[in-house]
Amino acid sequence: MIRRYIYKKIENKLFKGKIIIITGARQVGKTTLLKQLMKDMTNTLWLNGDELQVQNLFGNASSDRLLSEFKGYKVVIIDEAQRISDIGLRLKLIADSDSDIQVIATGSSAFELANKVNEPLTGRKWEYQMYPLSFGEMAEHHGKLKELRLLPQRIVYGYYPEVVTSDGNEVEILKLLTDAYLYKDILSWENIKHPDKLQTLLRALAYQVGSQVSFNELSQMCSLDSKTVERYITLLEQCYIIFRLPSYSRNLRHELKSSRKIYFYDNGIRNALIADFNAPETRQDIGALWENFVIAERMKSNEYYQRWANRYFWRTKQQQEVDYIEEYDGKLHAYEVKWNPKTKARVTKTFTAAYPGSDFNVITPDNIADFLLPD
């Protein structure tokens, strides 16, 4: 299956004189995408930054040395480029040369790769983030109605490509993914001596999806100090496992101004961490699970369909809440997320009084396609 949205974006940037950077968690399909893009190009060089030989190649090489190594190739692809020391400076040498070689670098760690390429490659790169598969991509692949019928399965097992294409082996694959593979980068470049505490933190976050997160509470649960908890959470974000949703606050003194919720990029990873693959209709946490699914899929949808919006939740000290808010074109769009379409939901009068003119909608399985697919 070709992932058309990001495929077209990258295809349109080939041979335009800039380095192409593709980031995203391990196993989301970066290499597969590039193989599809390069299927008709025979003069492509593939390098893996995890290999010592490749790391040594880029060691202290000059632009002339690198270009001589790449002579005869039209495209050079460097997987897991964050593993290579000073990769940004080496890529800058190539970008500043007169070579017409197209270099594409991928990375599974935003922290390491960004630190290494952002400053050296300012103005010299195109950068794209890849997610697990999305509702929109699968709806395009086999039809909206079929994907809607598969919602219960997606909510439990998620959208990692190998999970989606391995019917009957979802649990085994998710276990492999969550047994330290997804956070391999954190364990290596942060030299974490007790990965069990990282696992404990991830499980705690999994149980708190849809709730406000307190670093102090998490520190007590994980026997870590709060600064270490915050640092680990930042690292998990930079490895594309979790993401934060900040609180919205503009008008009211009793609004929560510095709170945050944390969601997982993929429901299957979240469920694997707590070892719960029960069907949605039997789960006590279905509300949180559906909320994670909706907000993560909306994030992908906005990216692929180029809807530019700021994202928040809203809550007061009196526990009045709006699950999800988008801000764009000078207007607020508020959403309540409900698994049961029959559940009645209304936005609190405190919110409508503070932000008159805001839109309000309830997102359920009945209208999720309208929320995620283009108009």
Side-chain angles (χ1 to χ4, degrees), residues 170-264:
E170 295 90 347
V171 173
E172 182 180 0
I173 293 166
L174 285 166
K175 187 177 186 303
L176 289 172
L177 282 171
T178 53
D179 281 350
Y181 187 69
L182 278 181
Y183 20 94
K184 174 182 177 181
D185 295 300
I186 300 176
L187 297 177
S188 61
W189 39 261
E190 277 299 305
N191 194 25
I192 295 175
K193 297 180 179 178
H194 302 289
D196 56 309
K197 291 189 177 180
L198 183 64
Q199 287 270 10
T200 301
L201 174 61
L202 275 165
R203 283 194 292 271
L205 292 172
Y207 280 117
Q208 294 189 28
V209 159
S211 302
Q212 292 175 84
V213 171
S214 164
F215 293 154
N216 288 330
E217 290 180 9
L218 288 170
S219 69
Q220 294 173 14
M221 296 171 65
C222 304
S223 300
L224 295 166
D225 64 81
S226 58
K227 288 185 178 179
T228 300
V229 165
E230 185 168 9
R231 181 167 63 91
Y232 282 6
I233 286 174
T234 298
L235 296 174
L236 290 165
E237 286 183 285
Q238 292 165 338
C239 285
Y240 307 105
I241 298 169
I242 60 174
F243 62 93
R244 302 187 209 198
L245 192 67
S247 56
Y248 185 86
S249 174
R250 292 292 184 274
N251 294 335
L252 305 179
R253 285 185 298 174
H254 56 265
E255 288 175 324
L256 298 180
K257 295 177 173 60
S258 58
S259 186
R260 86 286 294 168
K261 292 183 179 182
I262 291 178
Y263 296 92
F264 284 77

Side-chain angles (χ1 to χ4, degrees), residues 60-73:
N60 293 307
S62 64
S63 59
D64 290 340
R65 163 78 191 285
L66 288 173
L67 291 175
S68 69
E69 293 284 348
F70 301 156
K71 186 176 180 180
Y73 293 103

Side-chain angles (χ1 to χ4, degrees), residues 20-300:
I20 295 174
I21 308 291
I22 306 172
T23 60
R26 290 177 179 270
Q27 301 294 299
V28 296
K30 300 186 293 293
T31 302
T32 300
L33 175 78
L34 290 175
K35 286 180 178 178
Q36 291 170 338
L37 273 165
M38 299 297 126
K39 69 179 190 300
D40 296 324
M41 294 189 187
T42 55
N43 49 352
T44 300
L45 176 63
W46 292 80
L47 301 171
N48 189 335
D50 280 329
E51 296 177 1
L52 183 60
Q53 184 179 3
V54 173
Q55 295 169 11
N56 291 336
L57 168 65
F58 283 88
N60 293 307
S62 64
S63 59
D64 290 340
R65 163 78 191 285
L66 288 173
L67 291 175
S68 69
E69 293 284 348
F70 301 156
K71 186 176 180 180
Y73 293 103
K74 193 173 182 180
V75 180
V76 175
I77 295 173
I78 310 165
D79 270 334
E80 301 301 339
Q82 78 276 359
R83 295 290 189 179
I84 300 171
S85 298
D86 297 323
I87 183 63
L89 293 174
R90 303 292 169 251
L91 294 179
K92 179 180 182 295
L93 292 174
I94 299 172
D96 289 346
S97 71
D98 294 328
S99 170
D100 58 358
I101 296 173
Q102 174 65 68
V103 176
I104 304 175
T106 77
S108 56
S109 163
F111 173 76
E112 280 203 312
L113 192 57
N115 280 357
K116 291 176 178 178
V117 306
N118 277 352
E119 185 174 346
L121 292 182
T122 300
R124 300 175 178 86
K125 65 181 172 70
W126 302 106
E127 187 168 354
Y128 302 96
Q129 180 178 345
M130 277 191 73
Y131 303 98
L133 290 166
S134 69
F135 178 92
E137 287 173 307
M138 294 308 300
E140 182 179 85
H141 176 63
H142 56 207
K144 180 176 72 173
L145 291 179
K146 182 172 182 179
E147 191 57 23
L148 285 171
R149 286 196 294 270
L150 288 169
L151 265 183
Q153 183 172 333
R154 305 302 191 215
I155 290 167
V156 174
Y157 297 118
Y159 274 120
Y160 266 80
E162 191 176 0
V163 172
V164 169
T165 58
S166 300
D167 190 32
N169 298 307
E170 295 90 347
V171 173
E172 182 180 0
I173 293 166
L174 285 166
K175 187 177 186 303
L176 289 172
L177 282 171
T178 53
D179 281 350
Y181 187 69
L182 278 181
Y183 20 94
K184 174 182 177 181
D185 295 300
I186 300 176
L187 297 177
S188 61
W189 39 261
E190 277 299 305
N191 194 25
I192 295 175
K193 297 180 179 178
H194 302 289
D196 56 309
K197 291 189 177 180
L198 183 64
Q199 287 270 10
T200 301
L201 174 61
L202 275 165
R203 283 194 292 271
L205 292 172
Y207 280 117
Q208 294 189 28
V209 159
S211 302
Q212 292 175 84
V213 171
S214 164
F215 293 154
N216 288 330
E217 290 180 9
L218 288 170
S219 69
Q220 294 173 14
M221 296 171 65
C222 304
S223 300
L224 295 166
D225 64 81
S226 58
K227 288 185 178 179
T228 300
V229 165
E230 185 168 9
R231 181 167 63 91
Y232 282 6
I233 286 174
T234 298
L235 296 174
L236 290 165
E237 286 183 285
Q238 292 165 338
C239 285
Y240 307 105
I241 298 169
I242 60 174
F243 62 93
R244 302 187 209 198
L245 192 67
S247 56
Y248 185 86
S249 174
R250 292 292 184 274
N251 294 335
L252 305 179
R253 285 185 298 174
H254 56 265
E255 288 175 324
L256 298 180
K257 295 177 173 60
S258 58
S259 186
R260 86 286 294 168
K261 292 183 179 182
I262 291 178
Y263 296 92
F264 284 77
Y265 277 98
D266 186 76
N267 271 34
I269 298 300
R270 185 265 181 183
N271 287 330
L273 288 165
I274 61 174
D276 188 347
F277 297 102
N278 285 317
E281 57 270 18
T282 67
R283 299 181 69 123
Q284 297 296 314
D285 63 349
I286 184 57
L289 203 57
W290 176 241
E291 186 174 323
N292 194 103
F293 178 87
V294 169
I295 291 175
E297 288 305 306
R298 179 67 173 187
M299 177 177 60
K300 300 177 196 175

Side-chain angles (χ1 to χ4, degrees), residues 308-323:
W308 310 125
N310 296 320
R311 302 174 301 121
Y312 308 94
F313 75 98
W314 179 86
R315 180 176 283 183
T316 68
K317 295 175 183 177
Q318 291 75 34
Q319 305 302 306
Q320 297 163 310
E321 183 176 11
V322 175
D323 290 334

